Amino acid sequence: MSSIDEKLPESIDLTHHLSAFAKARPLSPLKGLQKYWGKPGIISLAGGLPSPDVFPFSSVGADILLPNAFPSQTEPSKAPLSWLWNLFSSGKPKTVPIEIPRHASTPGQLDLATVLQYSMASGQPKLLDFARELTGKVFRPGYSDWTVLAHVGNTDGWMKAVLTLCNPGEGVLTSTWTYPSALACMLPYNIKAVPVDMDGQGMRADALREVLANWDAEARGMPRRVVLGQNPTGATMALGRKKEIYDVCVEFDVIIVEDDPYYFLQEGPYHPPSHPARNERKGELDLQAYIDHLAPSYLRIDYEGRVIRLDTFSKTIAPGCRMGWFTCNPKFGERLERQAETSTQAPCGFSQALIISLVEQWGFEGFLRWTQGLQTQYTVRRDFIIDCLADEFDLRVGVVANSGVDCFTGCDVYTAYPKVKSTRIFEEKKLFNDQELLSFVPPTSGMFVWLKLNLEQHPQYGSKSAKELEWDLWVELAEAGVLFGPGQMFAATATVEDEEPAGHFRVSFSNAEFNTMKKAISIFARVIVKFFRA
Amino acid sequence: MSSIDEKLPESIDLTHHLSAFAKARPLSPLKGLQKYWGKPGIISLAGGLPSPDVFPFSSVGADILLPNAFPSQTEPSKAPLSWLWNLFSSGKPKTVPIEIPRHASTPGQLDLATVLQYSMASGQPKLLDFARELTGKVFRPGYSDWTVLAHVGNTDGWMKAVLTLCNPGEGVLTSTWTYPSALACMLPYNIKAVPVDMDGQGMRADALREVLANWDAEARGMPRRVVLGQNPTGATMALGRKKEIYDVCVEFDVIIVEDDPYYFLQEGPYHPPSHPARNERKGELDLQAYIDHLAPSYLRIDYEGRVIRLDTFSKTIAPGCRMGWFTCNPKFGERLERQAETSTQAPCGFSQALIISLVEQWGFEGFLRWTQGLQTQYTVRRDFIIDCLADEFDLRVGVVANSGVDCFTGCDVYTAYPKVKSTRIFEEKKLFNDQELLSFVPPTSGMFVWLKLNLEQHPQYGSKSAKELEWDLWVELAEAGVLFGPGQMFAATATVEDEEPAGHFRVSFSNAEFNTMKKAISIFARVIVKFFRA
């Protein structure tokens, strides 16, 4: 896997992929002035910069957790409810202070006079240093002249990428189920999703090839991109599949935008509480072992500069940072920077300052130790919600609920039947014991369980569509006090939504308290059993 | 001026102004779910919200200056160099701490669990409360159902407004000289500036009427908007002119986007050091007197909901906040909010939290006391740079350098001649004493002096265009170690730039140290005199 490093190529020229929007975007107005800009000793009265002496903030600071605040591995001996909140229940968690002064007192020190001033839209140099180090060491792009620049979160990054690569009327290849906001941002520009079938790893390379080979250029314009948000199904795509998809993209000259906010939340396979792996005490991983165990990014195999990767601090630090970065070839990078200059400008200075100070305090290794702790937290939560489902339903593993290739193919599928122990169900056991209610694959990354609702088995199926029944169930569940994400929100197109014989719910395990999750799954079990009897 | 309050109308329906982009933007994906969203007691596992317990920030805080850190009026007895930095030279300035905890300890308290989480794109309720109070009390819109929502700075706000109001191929009415980034953001969408002539107050209402009456709809599409950035010339537009322009907009059904970042930096008229007004000791203004002395916003006369106003914290707090707000009719507001949801989302949580805490600490009156202090700071700086010009040039007031109506018409114009006291000039006095070098009107708001270079008087004028000569002078000045903003950057169109017989420089007085400003103007005087001798 490392031989690629020895003969790193430069990225090839992909400027023909730039959209009309990107091409019409003017060069930086500073272009002719750059020779003099920032020249030592030069006096600039050119910019409209307020005096930093009238910024009302004399210093900004924070108390931050230590990188090892959370255990790097799950601790089998402790029940989630007891050990997880350990940190907080035992009084104040250990923190260290960080502080950013108005003016630096040592050379190179970050200060408010700089970060709260107008600055390069690409981001503060120290932020880019961090992004470069992380990208270089963790994602290890397959070519040498890649560049990084800031954006204000992946939603913004995605929109900027769309407007850099797509002309109105063109199509974007997405997996059948994808992130709704990604679709919503393209619609005003008449750029539409073209769904590609999935299996248990996400988008299928053979399905992608088929769509591209049969592309109706007149109807859809030139395809310019593949979207790879794995958001709703929680699947992890292995390196082999990514290589296959990348090869198809090379063959058909397609750009990949890798929207991968959950990269550091790779929980790995789920094991039931009784499974030995669940109770194994794992040792601390060293840094390289931790990096190697993460499924590689598309950047790793990108020898042509064909990938725009979007990273964000939303899942590793907090969504309110509104900050992340692009990694891409320099041609695309220059266009993305010009776009930022005339819209968002640089990310918020407070955010840049606090994140830079945080990673300086933690160090690069500390940051990765922090993400290990996060991964453990979300693994415990993932395990907990699946355990709750096992408590409420009769789960049978390996039984595929639907025939045909779908987003569960190739995985251990858990099919849920009414629990026999339930009195009510028990009484009517004959009727319901074999009723397949839903199926799911325990997610290996991200924050969600993607439930497939077996609506073909519903008494009203036929007179009502799966989409209608899904909504009926959603409303009944909401009336009972629980909100899941309705699956139809994540359909790439109306056709996907209409033709789908099953319904879906996306269930988040990221945020609710453990007792609340337990209660929600219990209410859901009651509601869905009742629903299937209707 | 206040009778309008007694019969506040609702805004009229202006939805026909929405661009194709804005119309095609989907409704919020949460629309169908809103009935249940945030319902008390409901359990939501729908969103992808990280747990706030894994945010590494346990608390965020700052030390902030007091609202009265700077004097509310200039102090004639003190020279700028001595009194201005008083605050900082006399040890540490007085500050108060603000702090935002992870979890609120009292109901309604701001906390990081909320502000660093995903949140409404329109902004935190407390931020909107402040924006609403300021807009209601200071700008006092002429209709009742106006709305406010956050954006991430006026550059972003302007781009969102353009994409909400303009179709590709349409024209936007701007003053002849305007802000380059505003033009750059429209170009990719083939939306072009249509220049309208200015006088000493900015855009002229009669010129606007003429352009609209002779509008070539086929060539330019429907006009949809007027831009009113007063940026480069530093003029203040009085209420009367705004009313005239507003009436023309009503007549021709045009929307006004008021991009007014310098609202609170209204320095008022310049007086030479010897003028009695300069040495008058002024009393503290009460709040209402201060508000009343500020030139009103277009919102004040907007009885139809025809104005989208952009406000920003960039000039009142710091540019790094990347935060401001729209004030507009609710129909436009809803479209702008959808656009934010699929691009920037909410402004940065750190910024929202720190600004909210700051204005809570200061109070609304404190915020306006702070802006008074700022206004004073910039007034001292404005006075200082004009004084420097008076030191370096022989200034004659009231002599108009060029004939015809231009951006100085109606103002006291200062024309600059070589200073006789200069030895070199003195020797060649006959040749240069009557050489008009440049002219300017001391700005009454903002951060810039707009210099008109009298290039028709240059020996090479004719063989070289004003644009070429402007650039030559710019380079000579840069080579001598001083950067001004080249005027051609601010031309609304290439035609404005090419047809203009004069050159221009935009000179900022906002940021450089006083000694540095003095040095820069001295270098400039030497360079321009030499340049006119060439």
Side-chain angles (χ1 to χ4, degrees), chain B residues 401-454:
Chain B
N402 295 302
S403 57
V405 176
D406 71 4
C407 62
F408 291 164
T409 303
C411 305
D412 281 348
V413 180
Y414 287 58
T415 304
Y417 300 82
K419 192 98 176 179
V420 181
K421 73 167 182 190
S422 153
T423 322
R424 190 149 172 197
I425 303 300
F426 189 72
E427 284 165 9
E428 299 159 283
K429 185 172 155 181
K430 273 174 210 147
L431 205 62
F432 289 104
N433 195 18
D434 287 331
Q435 171 76 65
E436 287 180 7
L437 298 169
L438 57 93
S439 56
F440 64 90
V441 170
T444 55
S445 70
M447 298 181 163
F448 310 103
V449 188
W450 182 243
L451 301 180
K452 189 195 291 180
L453 308 167
N454 203 4

Side-chain angles (χ1 to χ4, degrees), chain A residues 49 116 118 155 315 320 345 349 510, chain B residues 49 118 155 315 320 345 349 510:
Chain A
L49 280 61
L116 293 186
Y118 287 109
T155 308
K315 310 300 195 267
Q345 301 196 8
S510 57
Chain B
L49 280 60
Y118 289 109
T155 308
K315 309 301 193 270
Q345 300 195 9
S510 57

Side-chain angles (χ1 to χ4, degrees), chain A residues 202-217:
Chain A
M203 184 182 282
R204 279 162 46 205
D206 63 329
L208 177 63
R209 174 187 296 280
E210 204 189 313
V211 172
L212 286 166
N214 297 302
W215 192 263
D216 181 351

